[in-house]
Amino acid sequence: MKKGLVMEGGGMRGLFTAGVIDVFMENGINFDGAVGVSAGAAFGCNIKSQQPGRVLRYNLAYCKDPRFCSVRSLLKTGDMFGAEFCYRTLPYELDKFDTAVYDANPMEFHVVCTDVETGLPVYKNCMKADENAMEWFRASASMPLVSRVVEADGYKMLDGGIADSIPIAYFRSIGYDKNVVILTQPKQYRKGKNKMLSLLKHTLRKYPKTVEAMAKRHLVYNETVDEICRMEEAGEILVIRPNDPLPIGRICHDGDTLKKAHELGRQAGMAALEKVRAFFEM
């Protein structure tokens, strides 16, 4: 049996996921591997470095810092979330990411990105928290329109959610047969057509395959959610999600709102603890 953790993205809705995994870490819930998409990668990697509380801490400390996330950063660097600050200054100097614990932890940590030239998902098992891994984390969370294309290992990449928002099929395909899935939308949520498609066609005109992926993303996402609901009802997976839409958007500069989303994740994690333990013992 291989115990897996699958983490959806959603920008700052990822504070909900951070709350859940903080509870897991505090209560000794361990996994053989995890896979994260977008915020699920950028925030979720802290479960391998075993740093409960870190995601909320640095978001509260720097949510109003223009180097962290701002229109100023977008205009100056091409990234709404400043690449240099978020993936170098912050983890190596200001709120240190525990690379030693991450590297020593045998748990796998897979990241999902979208290859902009093919419009298809690419997956990377980041076992070491080196600069290459940081580029994959950044690429996975690089939202279209507000981020530059990230190049790593011969790929040109953007947000993994474009091509594979909830990579449960991928994780099952590589042998993870007992999976906990953390979603950042309530059970009834289904995605609508992208209202920014015309702008995306212009901005991503060099990458028509990615534009195609964006145009059908809602269909792929909704099919995946339907399959997740089927597997959940069959007892094949365990799903943790908010009961209602989270009171936070993809971008947030308000500390109280960040804390609320994180607390809702903690509450959901606490409520699921015994279910997770029982699920892994089945």
Side-chain angles (χ1 to χ4, degrees):
M1 179 182 74
K2 290 181 71 175
K3 299 181 291 184
L5 176 65
V6 179
M7 293 174 283
E8 183 182 17
M12 286 300 144
R13 292 199 308 274
L15 265 295
F16 175 87
T17 301
V20 176
I21 65 173
D22 281 354
V23 168
F24 287 170
M25 286 185 276
E26 292 163 1
N27 289 274
I29 301 294
N30 298 310
F31 300 85
D32 299 303
V35 57
V37 181
S38 196
F43 294 167
C45 59
N46 289 273
I47 196 170
K48 182 167 162 63
S49 66
Q50 287 292 295
Q51 291 177 276
R54 179 174 178 269
V55 173
L56 179 62
R57 184 174 64 241
Y58 74 68
N59 273 281
L60 289 176
Y62 301 107
C63 63
K64 297 183 187 298
D65 191 318
R67 297 173 299 171
F68 182 66
C69 176
S70 67
V71 174
R72 183 192 308 179
S73 175
L74 177 62
L75 295 175
K76 184 177 179 179
T77 70
D79 294 304
M80 179 76 79
F81 288 88
E84 183 67 27
F85 184 80
C86 293
Y87 296 95
R88 291 176 181 83
T89 304
L90 199 161
Y92 294 127
E93 299 176 20
L94 300 178
D95 195 323
K96 291 186 178 181
F97 188 62
D98 198 330
T99 57
V101 171
Y102 184 103
D103 293 356
N105 190 339
M107 171 187 178
E108 294 184 346
F109 192 80
H110 297 249
V111 175
V112 187
C113 300
T114 298
D115 180 338
V116 295
E117 295 183 320
T118 66
L120 298 174
V122 286
Y123 307 94
K124 172 80 168 183
N125 182 11
C126 298
M127 288 302 294
K128 301 293 183 182
D130 53 17
E131 290 187 7
N132 179 259
M134 288 294 173
E135 287 299 278
W136 278 86
F137 297 163
R138 178 165 78 94
S140 185
S142 290
M143 298 182 289
L145 300 180
V146 295
S147 307
R148 292 172 293 167
V149 170
V150 179
E151 297 189 30
D153 294 336
Y155 293 104
K156 295 181 178 180
M157 300 178 289
L158 283 174
D159 195 319
I162 298 170
D164 191 357
S165 295
I166 313 169
I168 180 64
Y170 164 71
F171 233 34
R172 286 163 67 94
S173 77
I174 62 171
Y176 284 89
D177 50 358
K178 279 284 187 177
N179 292 293
V180 174
V181 180
I182 305 176
L183 303 181
T184 59
Q185 296 283 12
K187 190 171 186 176
Q188 67 272 19
Y189 175 81
R190 295 298 183 275
K191 194 177 291 294
K193 292 182 179 180
N194 195 312
K195 297 178 181 178
M196 304 293 286
L197 196 58
S198 295
L199 182 57
L200 286 162
K201 286 179 179 178
H202 173 73
T203 305
L204 297 174
R205 58 190 178 277
K206 291 169 55 178
Y207 308 111
K209 293 296 185 181
T210 293
V211 174
E212 290 178 19
M214 292 292 293
K216 65 179 183 180
R217 184 187 178 195
H218 64 293
L219 301 175
V220 175
Y221 181 90
N222 294 341
E223 288 175 1
T224 302
V225 171
D226 288 344
E227 177 62 10
I228 283 172
C229 289
R230 184 203 66 76
M231 289 189 288
E232 180 183 22
E233 292 173 4
E236 298 171 15
I237 61 174
L238 191 150
V239 182
I240 300 173
R241 54 166 77 84
N243 293 324
D244 301 297
L246 292 170
I248 193 170
R250 287 186 173 273
I251 294 172
C252 178
H253 301 288
D254 179 70
D256 289 340
T257 303
L258 293 169
K259 285 188 284 188
K260 178 63 175 177
H262 184 265
E263 178 58 27
L264 288 170
R266 287 193 61 88
Q267 292 173 10
M270 289 299 296
L273 272 179
E274 295 310 314
K275 293 178 183 178
V276 172
R277 292 190 176 108
F279 178 66
F280 285 153
E281 291 174 358
M282 289 173 60

